[in-house]
Amino acid sequence: MGPGATGLAGALSLAGALPAGPPLLLDTVPPGGDALSHGRGLDCWEVRKHNSSEWCHFIRSNPDCRLDGGFLDYIDGVFCVFPPRLLPLAVTLYALWLLYLFIILGVTAEKFFCPNLSAISTNLKLSHNVAVFSLTSPLHGVTFLAFGNGAPDVFSAVVAFSDPRTAGLAIGAIFGAGVFVTTVVAGGIALVKPFTAASRPFLRDVIFYMVAVFLTFMVLYLGRIRLGEALGYLGLYVFYVLTVVLCTWIHRRQRGDGLVPPGPWEPEMPTDVEEPEPSGTNSGDYGEEYRPLLPSRETSLRILTTALSPLDYRKWRRKPWYWRLFKAFKVPVELVLLLTVPVVDPDKDDLNWKRPLNCLHILTSPLLCILTLKSGTYGLYQIQGVFPVWGLVTLVASALALIIFITTSNEDPPKYHCVFAFLGFLASAMWINAAATEVVNILRTLGVIFQLSNTVLGLTLLAWGNSIGGEGSAGPQCPPGTPWGPPAIPKVSLCPSTDTFSDLTMARQGYPRMAFSACFGGIIFNILVGVGLGCLLQMTSSQPLVKLEPDSPLVWVLAGALGLSLVFSFVTVPAQCFQLGKAYGICLIAYYLVFLCVALLTEFRVIHFSTP
């Protein structure tokens, strides 16, 4: 048994000292400096090499074990709060909390972030240019759609890049999610519903994605990313957006003026599967058949209690037990989000105006923003050492909420109601950022416990959590045009999720081409904006240079596997005349399983590769 196998057995048993071996380090250092971890003394993962009685002292005396950001110190908790014999219990609790954080990310993005982004695009009159271009083409979502769907991924990458010790999580997650989506998800779509892929959009997206992967490979090979290269990532995405818009405009001109009607492969845009439960709205809207014949005035208290109820009781009775169980886990999250994040719905007559709740949002949303920014550092700051910032915000927001409550009515939204969409967008973004910070900190703690590199945690747990997701947008239950299908101009969610379950559902219900398009279109946003913005913010806040030093060959395995999967699709899809069937899907899924085995064997040093 080799040392890698011994390390794996020791990690799984959670007992005894683990064998030594440097994890992947991607560090941010000043120009000409050495790797940051080499100047901090011992690496934190070496704690398991010491006697269990010395764990707490080692953690608290080693600067490398300090977590930057976040509300909980997970490393201190597992090694100082829990006794050594209860280490498996601590790991179990951390794993459950990690799963719940992924639920928080999914619920926040789907029901609050995306609806407010949709309202903002509507108010900015973007729904009939950039947004419509992407919505009416086979490859949609290059701007607002991609931002809404990729928010958890991008926020996770930005948070991971903010700390040199967790930058490997970002690289692992971006590459790992790319391999997962382009193999497992794309292959699953082909298995569920064989179809004909859109030729020119597919080739365009694969070429752009290969360029992005090659650019990242060169950055890792050179070992650093400068300001110009970080801006190059963002510039390449802008060029990609312009290319999509230009191609759509040319396609419209070739087909005649007006929007291009959907072809035989592209039915009307799908609506959400969970249509009876609109995002962020109260559960009292059950449809026309449940509305009273005569309008009645509701009291402010009833409006508030109804708007804060995350459950649709009629829907609850119709759903199976596993849906109810999952919903029960989400109810606390949805309740807190309803209290702190306003949602504007342009498709409703009242724009989802709930006067008492929206007035409450005037107080809770700003408090949420300042108490989650930098983990509450700014909110708890005391002005001249006397009055806290959160107290000042409370006073100002309370006065403004009282004025709005007095000057408005329950029935008609005010003219400035669109401002609540921006407030909700900001508040939901702060929720996503806070949850992503906790996810990164937990993953780093698990890496210390199991002596795993950040890269392998990124390509597995973080990539799977962001890619699998929860309930997202998918295809309609019946095709348009049938007696049971959606109307001719259906309501379109601005966040058609590229999550695994959502894409497979979309394919199963007759939209495989659209689901396949999302696999290659959405991850372009994640890699270009995630790496570019993450490194750019890191340079702005601390260093003029982000130095990436892959000390493990696993990074090259990741980059090579992603590039090879893209080349495979780029060659085989046109070779099949873009007719994708079960054989293509089986090959992609088998490729991912082989890649995962090679990656794990490389991590535990069973397979050795020479690094550049």
Side-chain angles (χ1 to χ4, degrees):
M1 180 180 293
T6 305
L8 174 59
L12 295 177
S13 63
L14 291 174
L18 294 176
L24 170 68
L25 295 175
L26 298 175
D27 293 330
T28 306
V29 296
D34 295 325
L36 192 57
S37 60
H38 299 304
R40 293 184 175 184
L42 295 175
D43 287 319
C44 189
W45 55 264
E46 294 184 5
V47 62
R48 294 295 304 279
K49 298 171 60 178
H50 293 72
N51 188 280
S52 59
S53 60
E54 301 175 355
W55 286 354
C56 186
H57 175 72
F58 181 91
I59 292 296
R60 292 180 174 175
S61 60
N62 190 354
D64 190 57
C65 296
R66 296 174 186 170
L67 296 177
D68 296 333
F71 294 94
L72 299 175
D73 192 339
Y74 298 100
I75 296 181
D76 184 85
V78 74
F79 289 109
C80 296
V81 176
F82 286 89
R85 66 180 182 276
L86 294 182
L87 184 59
L89 175 62
V91 173
T92 302
L93 294 177
Y94 280 11
L96 293 175
W97 176 232
L98 178 65
L99 178 62
Y100 202 70
L101 285 171
F102 281 124
I103 293 177
I104 293 174
L105 284 172
V107 171
T108 307
E110 177 196 354
K111 300 199 172 202
F112 296 87
F113 188 83
C114 292
N116 282 309
L117 200 59
S118 176
I120 290 174
S121 68
T122 300
N123 282 283
L124 294 179
K125 308 300 182 183
L126 293 177
S127 58
H128 295 290
N129 43 68
V130 176
V132 162
F133 280 151
S134 54
L135 282 173
T136 56
S137 65
L139 289 168
H140 57 281
V142 296
T143 51
F144 283 87
L145 294 169
F147 185 33
N149 183 66
D153 307 79
V154 172
F155 275 98
S156 298
V158 169
V159 171
F161 274 119
S162 66
D163 188 342
R165 296 164 298 177
T166 58
L169 282 172
I171 298 297
I174 290 173
F175 277 175
V179 178
F180 182 83
V181 171
T182 56
T183 55
V184 175
V185 181
I189 293 171
L191 284 175
V192 169
K193 187 82 170 179
F195 66 101
T196 302
S199 57
R200 287 177 293 181
F202 168 78
L203 296 175
R204 177 196 64 207
D205 275 35
V206 171
I207 290 174
F208 268 98
Y209 196 39
M210 287 194 294
V211 171
V213 172
F214 178 76
L215 179 60
T216 308
F217 178 85
M218 291 303 300
V219 165
L220 291 173
Y221 181 80
L222 296 175
R224 86 294 182 271
I225 179 170
R226 301 182 184 275
L227 178 62
E229 294 160 341
L231 293 176
Y233 273 90
L234 301 178
L236 181 59
Y237 185 73
V238 172
F239 180 63
Y240 168 71
V241 172
L242 295 178
T243 302
V244 173
V245 172
L246 179 62
C247 291
T248 306
W249 181 79
I250 294 175
H251 186 53
R252 291 180 60 196
R253 290 293 299 269
Q254 293 176 346
R255 298 284 296 271
D257 294 333
L259 294 177
V260 181
W265 48 265
E266 182 187 4
E268 295 288 342
M269 287 297 299
T271 57
D272 293 346
V273 170
E274 305 270 345
E275 189 167 350
E277 186 181 27
S279 302
T281 60
N282 69 84
S283 58
D285 297 323
Y286 304 123
E288 294 289 344
E289 65 271 24
Y290 296 110
R291 293 184 181 179
L293 296 177
L294 297 177
S296 60
R297 290 179 176 268
E298 291 185 307
T299 63
S300 296
L301 180 60
R302 179 172 177 78
I303 293 176
L304 179 63
T305 55
T306 304
L308 287 177
S309 175
L311 286 176
D312 183 335
Y313 296 102
R314 290 181 175 86
K315 183 178 180 181
W316 175 272
R317 290 193 295 266
R318 297 194 307 265
K319 291 296 182 178
W321 66 269
Y322 54 85
W323 185 94
R324 298 184 187 183
L325 180 62
F326 186 60
K327 183 67 176 180
F329 280 107
K330 295 197 304 179
V331 162
V333 177
E334 294 178 349
L335 180 60
V336 174
L337 289 170
L338 286 171
L339 278 169
T340 55
V341 183
V343 176
V344 177
D345 188 354
D347 295 315
K348 302 189 70 173
D349 294 336
D350 61 352
L351 304 179
N352 198 37
W353 165 251
K354 311 297 177 186
R355 176 172 165 242
L357 181 59
N358 288 139
C359 291
L360 182 62
H361 288 149
I362 296 294
L363 173 62
T364 58
S365 294
L367 283 176
L368 166 73
C369 293
I370 64 167
L371 291 177
T372 55
L373 185 64
K374 292 291 183 181
S375 303
T377 303
Y378 296 124
L380 299 177
Y381 175 78
Q382 293 188 346
I383 303 174
Q384 296 184 348
V386 178
F387 198 72
V389 173
W390 67 264
L392 177 62
V393 172
T394 301
L395 292 177
V396 175
S398 299
L400 182 60
L402 182 61
I403 294 174
I404 293 177
F405 188 82
I406 294 175
T407 57
T408 57
S409 64
N410 291 333
E411 291 76 23
D412 300 318
K415 295 181 179 179
Y416 51 82
H417 185 228
C418 60
V419 177
F420 284 87
F422 291 90
L423 181 61
F425 172 80
L426 179 61
S428 56
M430 296 305 298
W431 269 115
I432 293 175
N433 181 71
T437 302
E438 301 302 315
V439 166
V440 169
N441 287 340
I442 290 181
L443 290 177
R444 180 167 184 262
T445 302
L446 294 178
V448 171
I449 296 173
F450 292 103
Q451 197 186 8
L452 297 173
S453 69
N454 287 326
T455 305
V456 74
L457 291 171
L459 75 92
T460 53
L461 296 181
L462 188 56
W464 293 341
N466 285 333
S467 298
I468 294 176
E471 53 179 14
S473 300
Q477 300 181 25
C478 299
T482 65
W484 304 276
I489 306 178
K491 175 184 175 181
V492 178
S493 170
L494 188 63
C495 190
S497 174
T498 57
D499 295 334
T500 305
F501 296 140
S502 302
D503 277 345
L504 294 181
T505 302
M506 189 185 298
R508 188 171 59 251
Q509 297 176 350
Y511 299 88
R513 197 169 189 176
M514 184 180 300
F516 187 76
S517 300
C519 295
F520 293 92
I523 51 180
I524 295 177
F525 176 87
N526 295 345
I527 187 171
L528 292 178
V529 178
V531 176
L533 185 61
C535 293
L536 186 63
L537 293 178
Q538 177 66 6
M539 295 177 198
T540 303
S541 60
S542 58
Q543 310 293 348
L545 173 72
V546 176
K547 192 170 183 179
L548 308 176
E549 293 186 344
D551 293 336
S552 168
L554 183 59
V555 175
W556 310 114
V557 173
L558 262 175
L562 179 56
L564 187 60
S565 71
L566 292 175
V567 171
F568 174 78
S569 293
F570 185 73
V571 173
T572 58
V573 171
Q576 302 175 82
C577 299
F578 300 93
Q579 300 284 341
L580 305 184
K582 296 184 182 298
Y584 175 75
I586 292 174
C587 289
L588 289 181
I589 295 177
Y591 177 87
Y592 182 79
L593 295 177
V594 173
F595 151 74
L596 192 60
C597 292
V598 172
L600 294 177
L601 293 176
T602 303
E603 169 68 16
F604 296 113
R605 301 173 187 87
V606 177
I607 298 179
H608 300 275
F609 293 96
S610 58
T611 57

